Amino acid sequence: MSLPAARPRCDRCNLPPHLCLCAELPQVETRTRILLVQHVVEPRKKSNTGRLATLALTNSRLLTYGAPDEALDTALLGEPGTWLLFPDGPTAPPDAPAPRQLVVLDGSWSQTRRMTQRIAALRTIPRLVLPPPAPGTLRLREPTHPSGMSTLDAVARAVALLEGPDTAAPLERLAALRVRRIADCGTLY
């Protein structure tokens, strides 16, 4: 018995051709550098929104955690002025200056928790903790953690907190468009 052929996907956004968001990708400029650290299995997932976030953010970089051929540059993670976007841990003092760099972990809840435990540079940096999403937030599925949300949603909310709602609006529209297109399809592609 042979396996079914894989459905074609856009090389850039990783969505099927009928859901492709490449023509809708905004170019969002931020003062804060967004360093997305993606778990090695995340790029293959259909639900991967971290890639969309880095495609939309002009001041971003994508690193892979766990890939044998890519060394995670931990020096980048420990640069002065670096914060971690994460729902718990040592938060930054209220009077701390805004971060120059925000590390965003991209993976499942259990993968990102393990990443914070295994990457020494992440254990001590201040954390940006987002408030839980508002009830009625448009989602494709229920999160496994009360503060859970897609990486794209989390980045949009963090940018809104750090740089204002106008800067974050294109990311929020992109996240909502993604959910609407997939929901209109009637299946998680």
Side-chain angles (χ1 to χ4, degrees):
M1 182 167 120
S2 65
L3 294 173
R7 292 185 179 173
R9 296 193 171 277
C10 172
D11 291 334
R12 190 164 178 233
C13 73
N14 196 37
L15 290 169
H18 66 287
L19 298 174
C20 179
L21 290 171
C22 289
E24 311 297 331
L25 283 170
Q27 291 297 287
V28 179
E29 294 185 28
T30 58
R31 291 180 308 275
T32 310
R33 178 182 183 184
I34 307 296
L35 180 62
L36 195 109
V37 180
Q38 191 172 65
H39 192 277
V40 69
V41 300
E42 196 65 20
R44 294 187 298 268
K45 290 185 178 178
K46 295 176 183 178
S47 59
N48 176 10
T49 62
R51 180 158 178 79
L52 286 176
T54 56
L55 288 171
L57 291 161
T58 60
N59 191 14
S60 67
R61 182 169 174 195
L62 178 67
L63 299 175
T64 304
Y65 172 77
D69 59 340
E70 184 173 344
L72 185 63
D73 190 349
T74 56
L76 283 174
L77 303 177
E79 283 183 8
T82 297
W83 291 12
L84 174 64
L85 178 60
F86 205 72
D88 60 22
T91 59
D95 60 345
R100 291 194 316 247
Q101 175 172 265
L102 184 66
V103 176
V104 178
L105 303 179
D106 185 29
S108 70
W109 176 246
S110 61
Q111 289 166 341
T112 57
R113 176 152 310 276
R114 280 192 305 274
M115 288 164 70
T116 63
Q117 294 165 351
R118 293 179 180 165
I119 302 172
L122 298 179
R123 290 187 213 136
T124 57
I125 61 176
R127 295 185 182 185
L128 176 63
V129 177
L130 300 173
T137 300
L138 189 58
R139 299 170 182 256
L140 292 174
R141 61 179 170 255
E142 283 302 310
T144 58
H145 185 274
S147 296
M149 62 191 83
S150 77
T151 302
L152 181 57
D153 286 324
V155 168
R157 293 182 70 205
V159 168
L161 282 175
L162 297 171
E163 305 203 14
D166 290 343
T167 304
L171 295 170
E172 292 167 350
R173 284 192 295 272
L174 179 63
L177 177 61
R178 178 184 171 275
V179 170
R180 274 195 311 277
R181 281 196 183 170
I182 293 168
D184 287 349
C185 226
T187 180
L188 187 59
Y189 45 117

